[in-house]
Coordinates of all heavy atoms in Angstrom, one line a residue:
Q1307 N 84.9 89.5 108.2 CA 85.7 90.0 107.1 C 87.2 89.5 107.1 O 87.9 89.7 106.2 CB 85.7 91.6 107.2 CG 84.4 92.2 106.8 CD 84.1 92.1 105.4 OE1 84.9 91.8 104.5 NE2 82.8 92.5 105.0
I1308 N 87.5 88.9 108.3 CA 88.9 88.5 108.4 C 89.0 87.0 108.3 O 88.5 86.2 109.1 CB 89.5 88.9 109.8 CG1 89.2 90.4 110.1 CG2 91.0 88.6 109.9 CD1 89.8 91.3 109.1
N1309 N 89.7 86.5 107.2 CA 90.1 85.1 107.1 C 91.4 84.9 107.9 O 92.2 85.8 108.1 CB 90.4 84.8 105.6 CG 89.1 84.7 104.8 OD1 88.0 84.5 105.4 ND2 89.2 84.8 103.5
Y1310 N 91.6 83.7 108.3 CA 92.8 83.4 109.1 C 93.3 82.0 109.0 O 92.5 81.1 108.6 CB 92.6 83.8 110.6 CG 91.7 82.8 111.4 CD1 92.3 81.8 112.1 CD2 90.3 82.9 111.3 CE1 91.5 80.9 112.8 CE2 89.5 82.0 112.0 CZ 90.1 81.0 112.8 OH 89.3 80.1 113.4
L1311 N 94.6 81.8 109.2 CA 95.2 80.5 109.4 C 96.0 80.5 110.7 O 96.4 81.5 111.2 CB 96.2 80.3 108.2 CG 95.6 80.0 106.8 CD1 96.7 80.2 105.8 CD2 95.0 78.6 106.7
T1312 N 96.2 79.3 111.3 CA 97.0 79.2 112.5 C 98.1 78.2 112.2 O 97.9 77.2 111.4 CB 96.2 78.7 113.7 OG1 95.4 77.5 113.3 CG2 95.2 79.8 114.1
A1313 N 99.2 78.4 112.8 CA 100.4 77.5 112.7 C 101.1 77.5 114.0 O 101.0 78.4 114.8 CB 101.3 77.9 111.5
E1314 N 102.0 76.5 114.2 CA 102.7 76.4 115.5 C 104.1 75.8 115.3 O 104.3 75.1 114.3 CB 101.9 75.6 116.5 CG 101.7 74.1 116.2 CD 102.8 73.2 116.6 OE1 103.6 73.6 117.5 OE2 102.9 72.1 116.1
S1315 N 105.0 76.2 116.2 CA 106.3 75.6 116.1 C 106.8 75.1 117.5 O 108.0 75.2 117.8 CB 107.3 76.7 115.6 OG 107.3 77.8 116.4
G1316 N 105.9 74.6 118.3 CA 106.2 74.1 119.6 C 106.1 75.1 120.7 O 105.2 75.0 121.6
D1317 N 106.9 76.2 120.7 CA 106.8 77.2 121.7 C 106.2 78.5 121.2 O 106.1 79.5 121.9 CB 108.2 77.5 122.2 CG 109.2 78.0 121.2 OD1 108.8 77.9 120.0 OD2 110.3 78.5 121.5
R1318 N 105.7 78.5 119.9 CA 105.2 79.7 119.3 C 103.9 79.4 118.5 O 103.9 78.4 117.8 CB 106.2 80.4 118.5 CG 105.8 81.6 117.7 CD 106.8 82.2 116.9 NE 107.9 82.8 117.7 CZ 109.2 82.5 117.6 NH1 109.6 81.6 116.8 NH2 110.0 83.2 118.4
L1319 N 102.9 80.3 118.6 CA 101.7 80.2 117.8 C 101.7 81.3 116.8 O 102.0 82.5 117.2 CB 100.5 80.2 118.7 CG 99.1 80.2 117.9 CD1 98.8 78.9 117.4 CD2 98.0 80.7 118.9
F1320 N 101.3 81.1 115.6 CA 101.2 82.1 114.6 C 99.7 82.2 114.2 O 99.1 81.2 113.9 CB 102.0 81.8 113.3 CG 103.4 81.5 113.6 CD1 103.9 80.3 113.9 CD2 104.3 82.6 113.4 CE1 105.3 80.0 114.1 CE2 105.7 82.4 113.6 CZ 106.2 81.1 114.0
V1321 N 99.1 83.4 114.2 CA 97.8 83.6 113.6 C 97.9 84.6 112.5 O 98.3 85.7 112.6 CB 96.9 84.2 114.7 CG1 95.5 84.4 114.1 CG2 96.8 83.3 115.9
I1322 N 97.7 84.0 111.3 CA 97.8 84.8 110.0 C 96.5 85.4 109.7 O 95.5 84.6 109.4 CB 98.4 83.9 108.9 CG1 99.7 83.2 109.3 CG2 98.5 84.6 107.6 CD1 100.1 82.0 108.5
L1323 N 96.4 86.7 109.7 CA 95.1 87.4 109.5 C 95.1 88.0 108.1 O 96.0 88.7 107.8 CB 94.9 88.4 110.6 CG 94.9 87.9 112.0 CD1 95.2 89.0 113.0 CD2 93.6 87.1 112.4
M1324 N 94.0 87.8 107.4 CA 93.9 88.4 106.0 C 92.5 89.1 105.9 O 91.5 88.4 105.9 CB 94.1 87.3 105.0 CG 95.4 86.6 105.0 SD 95.5 85.1 104.1 CE 94.7 83.9 105.3
S1325 N 92.5 90.4 105.8 CA 91.3 91.1 105.6 C 90.8 91.0 104.2 O 91.5 91.2 103.2 CB 91.5 92.6 106.0 OG 90.3 93.3 105.8
Q1326 N 89.5 90.8 104.1 CA 88.8 90.7 102.8 C 88.1 92.0 102.5 O 87.5 92.1 101.4 CB 87.8 89.6 102.7 CG 88.4 88.2 103.1 CD 89.6 87.9 102.2 OE1 89.5 87.9 100.9 NE2 90.7 87.5 102.8
S1327 N 88.2 93.0 103.4 CA 87.4 94.2 103.2 C 88.2 95.3 102.6 O 89.4 95.3 102.7 CB 87.0 94.7 104.6 OG 86.4 96.0 104.6
N1328 N 87.5 96.2 101.9 CA 88.2 97.3 101.3 C 88.2 98.5 102.2 O 88.6 99.6 101.8 CB 87.5 97.7 100.0 CG 87.6 96.7 98.9 OD1 88.7 96.1 98.7 ND2 86.6 96.5 98.1
A1329 N 87.8 98.3 103.4 CA 87.8 99.3 104.5 C 88.7 98.8 105.6 O 89.0 97.7 105.8 CB 86.4 99.7 104.9
E1330 N 89.1 99.8 106.5 CA 89.8 99.4 107.7 C 88.9 98.5 108.6 O 87.7 98.8 108.8 CB 90.3 100.7 108.4 CG 91.2 100.4 109.6 CD 91.7 101.7 110.2 OE1 90.9 102.3 111.0 OE2 92.8 102.2 109.8
E1331 N 89.5 97.5 109.2 CA 88.7 96.6 110.0 C 89.3 96.3 111.4 O 90.5 96.0 111.4 CB 88.5 95.2 109.3 CG 87.7 95.3 108.0 CD 86.2 95.5 108.3 OE1 85.7 95.2 109.4 OE2 85.5 95.9 107.3
K1332 N 88.5 96.4 112.4 CA 89.0 96.0 113.8 C 88.6 94.6 114.0 O 87.5 94.2 113.7 CB 88.4 97.0 114.8 CG 88.8 96.7 116.2 CD 88.2 97.7 117.2 CE 88.5 97.4 118.6 NZ 87.9 96.1 119.1
V1333 N 89.5 93.8 114.7 CA 89.2 92.4 115.0 C 89.7 92.1 116.3 O 90.7 92.5 116.8 CB 89.8 91.5 113.9 CG1 91.3 91.7 113.8 CG2 89.5 90.1 114.2
D1334 N 88.9 91.3 117.1 CA 89.2 90.8 118.4 C 89.6 89.3 118.2 O 88.8 88.6 117.6 CB 88.1 90.9 119.4 CG 87.8 92.4 119.7 OD1 88.8 93.2 119.6 OD2 86.7 92.7 120.1
I1335 N 90.7 88.9 118.7 CA 91.1 87.5 118.7 C 91.2 86.9 120.1 O 92.0 87.5 120.9 CB 92.5 87.4 118.0 CG1 92.5 88.1 116.6 CG2 92.9 85.9 117.8 CD1 93.2 89.4 116.6
R1336 N 90.5 85.9 120.4 CA 90.5 85.3 121.7 C 91.2 83.9 121.6 O 90.8 83.1 120.7 CB 89.1 85.2 122.3 CG 89.1 84.6 123.7 CD 87.7 84.7 124.3 NE 87.3 86.1 124.4 CZ 87.7 87.0 125.4 NH1 88.5 86.5 126.4 NH2 87.3 88.2 125.4
F1337 N 92.1 83.6 122.5 CA 92.9 82.4 122.4 C 92.4 81.4 123.5 O 92.0 81.8 124.6 CB 94.4 82.6 122.7 CG 95.0 83.6 121.7 CD1 95.0 84.9 121.9 CD2 95.5 83.1 120.5 CE1 95.6 85.8 121.0 CE2 96.1 83.9 119.5 CZ 96.1 85.3 119.8
N1338 N 92.4 80.1 123.2 CA 92.1 79.1 124.2 C 93.4 78.6 124.8 O 94.2 77.8 124.3 CB 91.4 77.9 123.5 CG 90.9 76.9 124.5 OD1 90.5 77.2 125.6 ND2 90.9 75.6 124.1
A1339 N 93.7 79.2 126.0 CA 95.0 79.0 126.6 C 95.4 77.6 126.9 O 96.5 77.2 126.7 CB 95.0 79.8 127.9
P1340 N 94.4 76.7 127.3 CA 94.8 75.3 127.6 C 95.4 74.6 126.3 O 96.3 73.7 126.5 CB 93.5 74.6 128.1 CG 92.8 75.8 128.7 CD 93.1 77.0 127.8
D1341 N 94.9 74.9 125.2 CA 95.5 74.3 123.9 C 96.9 74.7 123.7 O 97.7 74.1 123.0 CB 94.7 74.8 122.7 CG 93.3 74.1 122.6 OD1 93.2 73.0 123.2 OD2 92.4 74.6 122.0
L1342 N 97.4 75.8 124.4 CA 98.7 76.3 124.2 C 99.6 76.0 125.4 O 100.7 76.6 125.6 CB 98.7 77.9 124.0 CG 97.7 78.3 122.9 CD1 97.6 79.8 122.9 CD2 98.3 77.8 121.6
G1343 N 99.1 75.1 126.3 CA 99.9 74.7 127.5 C 99.9 75.7 128.6 O 100.8 75.7 129.4
R1344 N 98.9 76.6 128.6 CA 98.9 77.7 129.6 C 97.5 77.7 130.3 O 96.5 77.2 129.8 CB 99.1 79.0 128.9 CG 100.4 79.2 128.2 CD 101.6 79.4 129.2 NE 101.5 80.7 129.8 CZ 101.9 81.8 129.3 NH1 102.6 81.8 128.1 NH2 101.8 83.0 129.9
E1345 N 97.5 78.2 131.5 CA 96.3 78.3 132.3 C 95.4 79.5 131.7 O 96.0 80.5 131.3 CB 96.6 78.6 133.8 CG 97.2 77.4 134.5 CD 96.3 76.2 134.6 OE1 95.1 76.4 134.7 OE2 96.8 75.1 134.5
P1346 N 94.1 79.4 131.8 CA 93.3 80.5 131.3 C 93.6 81.8 132.0 O 93.9 81.8 133.2 CB 91.9 80.0 131.7 CG 91.9 78.6 131.7 CD 93.3 78.2 132.2
G1347 N 93.7 82.9 131.3 CA 94.0 84.2 131.8 C 95.4 84.5 132.0 O 95.8 85.6 132.4
T1348 N 96.3 83.6 131.6 CA 97.8 83.9 131.8 C 98.5 84.3 130.5 O 99.7 84.6 130.6 CB 98.5 82.6 132.3 OG1 98.3 81.5 131.3 CG2 97.9 82.1 133.6
L1349 N 97.8 84.4 129.4 CA 98.4 85.0 128.2 C 98.3 86.5 128.3 O 97.2 87.1 128.3 CB 97.6 84.5 126.9 CG 97.6 83.0 126.8 CD1 96.7 82.6 125.6 CD2 99.0 82.4 126.5
K1350 N 99.5 87.1 128.3 CA 99.5 88.6 128.6 C 100.0 89.4 127.4 O 99.6 90.6 127.3 CB 100.4 88.9 129.8 CG 99.9 88.2 131.1 CD 98.5 88.7 131.5 CE 98.1 88.0 132.8 NZ 96.7 88.4 133.1
T1351 N 100.9 88.9 126.6 CA 101.4 89.7 125.5 C 101.5 88.9 124.2 O 101.7 87.7 124.3 CB 102.8 90.2 125.8 OG1 103.7 89.2 126.1 CG2 102.8 91.2 127.0
A1352 N 101.4 89.5 123.1 CA 101.6 89.0 121.8 C 102.4 89.9 121.0 O 102.8 91.0 121.4 CB 100.2 88.7 121.1
A1353 N 102.8 89.5 119.8 CA 103.6 90.4 118.9 C 103.1 90.3 117.5 O 102.5 89.3 117.1 CB 105.1 89.9 119.0

């Protein structure tokens, strides 16, 4: 139910999430850390 776009600015990743549902929706987002210059399991916080 969630459409998304991704964007980057070098040191920052943006995940733009857009719900297509008329109800509240829970979504899990998993990141591929090596694509972001990090080791797997080292991504701890997002905003």
Side-chain angles (χ1 to χ4, degrees):
Q1307 291 286 350
I1308 310 301
N1309 287 341
Y1310 73 95
L1311 290 165
T1312 52
E1314 63 88 17
S1315 59
D1317 61 348
R1318 177 180 287 123
L1319 176 73
F1320 304 88
V1321 183
I1322 303 164
L1323 303 162
M1324 296 166 282
S1325 176
Q1326 304 304 309
S1327 173
N1328 291 323
E1330 188 176 81
E1331 295 286 341
K1332 180 178 178 295
V1333 58
D1334 293 335
I1335 307 102
R1336 184 170 299 277
F1337 301 91
N1338 187 32
D1341 286 335
L1342 306 173
R1344 300 284 292 273
E1345 293 294 325
T1348 61
L1349 300 174
K1350 299 301 182 184
T1351 59

